[in-house]
């Protein structure tokens, strides 16, 4: 569950947005409540973040304020508040397996996966030994219950989606990702070799942004996943962030496209991966 402070801040932010929509329409809170058939205090409670608005409440706001073009985005924002910010310590309090299982429904319904990473090989492309090294580090750093092997098993099993031709994967890595050693040289060499193999799959597009790329127009961004065009997931230091607001998802889709345009593919990408393997000695 999200922290109470983050939820309240999000509700207040949504309330401020609704207040601006109402004021732009020229309606007072009392006039809007009257037109919507509400108690006259309801607008105030929603706009101050004290009462979470229902989907019907948001439809009424946009209908009577002549802002129906914002309805879908507002509904997505409201639905996302309670589940958008999940602290790791809450998700993982019973161990790592739960966190691995939590995304299975999302993976099963997604057909187009896009991922950008600046330091880590993305989950579906990880070898079991690479996964084990990562999860061991997380378990020890966060002092979690030891269900390591169960968590590794869940993550490996999820990778079956890679081999289902109906799903497409587009992954963009910074070249530095190939150089960050996880689990020691032997584990990393195996991981990079596995990456070369997966890049040959017909439903996989693997791009690498060389270290030599001119970054003038390409500002650093956080690592992220885009699932179809409906959801973005970001792993923060303290929490797991889910974005579903259409305009925000769109920003990540456009950012991914810009990053993908800066990457190299095919033989040039394989050369960078092979060079990283050779550097392990």
């Amino acid at each position: 569950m999200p922290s109470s402070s983050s939820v309240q801040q999000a509700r207040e932010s949504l309330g401020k947005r609704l207040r601006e929509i109402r004021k732009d329409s020229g309606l007072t809170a009392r006039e809007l409540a009257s037109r919507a058939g509400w108690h006259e205090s309801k607008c105030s409670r929603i706009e101050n973040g004290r009462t979470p608005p229902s989907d019907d409440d948001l439809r009424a706001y946009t209908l009577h304020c002549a802002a129906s073009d914002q309805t879908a985005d507002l509904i997505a924002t409201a639905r996302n508040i309670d589940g958008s910010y999940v602290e790791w310590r809450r998700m993982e309090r019973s161990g790592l397996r739960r966190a691995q299982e939590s995304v299975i429904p999302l993976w099963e319904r997604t057909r187009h996966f896009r991922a950008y990473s600046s330091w880590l090989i993305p989950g579906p492309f990880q070898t079991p030994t690479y996964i084990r090294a990562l999860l061991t580090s997380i378990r020890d750093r966060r002092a979690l219950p030891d269900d390591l092997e169960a968590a590794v098993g869940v993550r490996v099993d999820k990778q079956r989606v890679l081999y289902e031709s109906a799903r497409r994967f587009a992954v963009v890595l910074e070249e530095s990702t190939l150089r960050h050693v996880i689990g020691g040289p032997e584990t990393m060499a195996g991981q990079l070799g596995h990456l070369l193999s997966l890049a040959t799959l017909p439903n996989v597009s693997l791009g690498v942004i060389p270290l030599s790329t001119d970054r003038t127009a390409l500002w650093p961004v956080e690592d992220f996943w885009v699932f179809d065009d409906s959801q973005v997931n970001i792993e923060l230091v303290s929490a797991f962030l889910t974005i579903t607001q259409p305009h925000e998802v769109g920003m990540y889709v456009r950012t991914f496209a810009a990053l993908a345009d800066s990457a190299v593919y095919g033989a040039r990408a394989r050369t960078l991966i092979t060079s990283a393997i050779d550097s392990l000695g």
Side-chain angles (χ1 to χ4, degrees):
M1 295 294 291
S3 66
S4 58
S5 60
S6 66
V7 169
Q8 186 56 35
Q9 288 171 3
R11 285 177 178 164
E12 290 173 359
S13 177
L14 176 60
K16 289 177 182 177
R17 185 175 169 190
L18 291 169
R19 185 182 298 115
E20 290 171 359
I21 290 172
R22 176 180 56 76
K23 287 186 175 180
D24 287 346
S25 74
L27 292 177
T28 66
R30 179 173 293 180
E31 287 171 337
L32 175 55
S34 175
R35 293 187 184 189
W38 298 338
H39 187 279
E40 62 181 32
S41 66
K42 183 170 181 174
C43 280
S44 176
R45 295 198 308 271
I46 291 175
E47 292 177 2
N48 287 290
R50 293 195 299 270
T51 297
S54 67
D55 290 0
D56 285 342
D57 292 337
L58 295 171
R59 292 187 184 100
Y61 257 93
T62 55
L63 173 65
H64 297 297
C65 296
S68 294
D69 58 320
Q70 299 187 52
T71 305
D73 196 60
L74 288 165
I75 289 174
T77 299
R79 290 180 180 178
N80 195 39
I81 286 174
D82 287 333
S84 62
Y85 184 92
V86 183
E87 295 181 57
W88 291 120
R89 63 187 177 90
R90 293 177 180 270
M91 181 184 290
E92 298 171 342
R93 59 190 169 195
S94 62
L96 287 162
R97 179 175 180 172
R98 180 187 172 197
Q100 301 304 313
E101 292 175 333
S102 66
V103 297
I104 290 177
L106 174 62
W107 283 36
E108 289 180 341
R109 67 176 180 263
T110 299
R111 291 296 177 266
H112 187 194
F113 297 76
R114 280 163 285 188
Y116 165 75
S117 182
S118 61
W119 75 279
L120 193 68
I121 304 299
F125 293 76
Q126 295 170 0
T127 64
T129 51
Y130 189 94
I131 293 169
R132 188 171 288 105
L134 282 174
L135 296 186
T136 297
S137 174
I138 293 172
R139 179 200 63 190
D140 294 346
R141 185 169 65 252
R142 298 176 183 164
L144 302 175
D146 189 4
D147 63 348
L148 177 67
E149 292 307 316
V152 171
V154 172
R155 179 170 282 196
V156 170
D157 184 62
K158 288 189 302 184
Q159 294 177 346
R160 68 184 186 278
V161 298
L162 267 175
Y163 303 97
E164 298 173 357
S165 59
R167 304 180 198 274
R168 294 180 295 140
F169 289 81
V171 174
V172 175
L173 306 176
E174 297 287 351
E175 184 182 351
S176 56
T177 301
L178 311 175
R179 304 282 178 167
H180 292 155
V181 178
I182 303 293
E186 184 176 350
T187 292
M188 196 64 199
Q191 173 61 72
L192 293 175
H194 184 58
L195 197 61
L196 285 171
S197 176
L198 293 178
T200 66
L201 294 176
N203 61 328
V204 170
S205 169
L206 176 64
V208 180
I209 302 177
L211 289 169
S212 58
T213 300
D214 186 336
R215 311 305 292 244
T216 305
L218 199 62
W219 291 88
V221 298
E222 63 276 9
D223 294 1
F224 61 88
W225 276 90
V226 181
F227 299 90
D228 293 325
D229 288 324
S230 60
Q231 180 171 322
V232 174
N233 284 355
I234 303 165
E235 294 188 6
L236 307 176
V237 172
S238 61
F240 183 79
L241 183 64
T242 298
I243 293 172
T244 58
Q245 297 177 54
H247 76 279
E248 288 191 274
V249 172
M251 291 175 66
Y252 280 92
V253 168
R254 292 189 294 275
T255 297
F256 183 84
L259 291 163
D261 284 345
S262 299
V264 297
Y265 299 84
R268 293 178 66 190
R270 291 194 296 272
T271 296
L272 294 176
I273 297 171
T274 302
S275 176
I277 295 174
D278 292 342
S279 73
L280 293 168

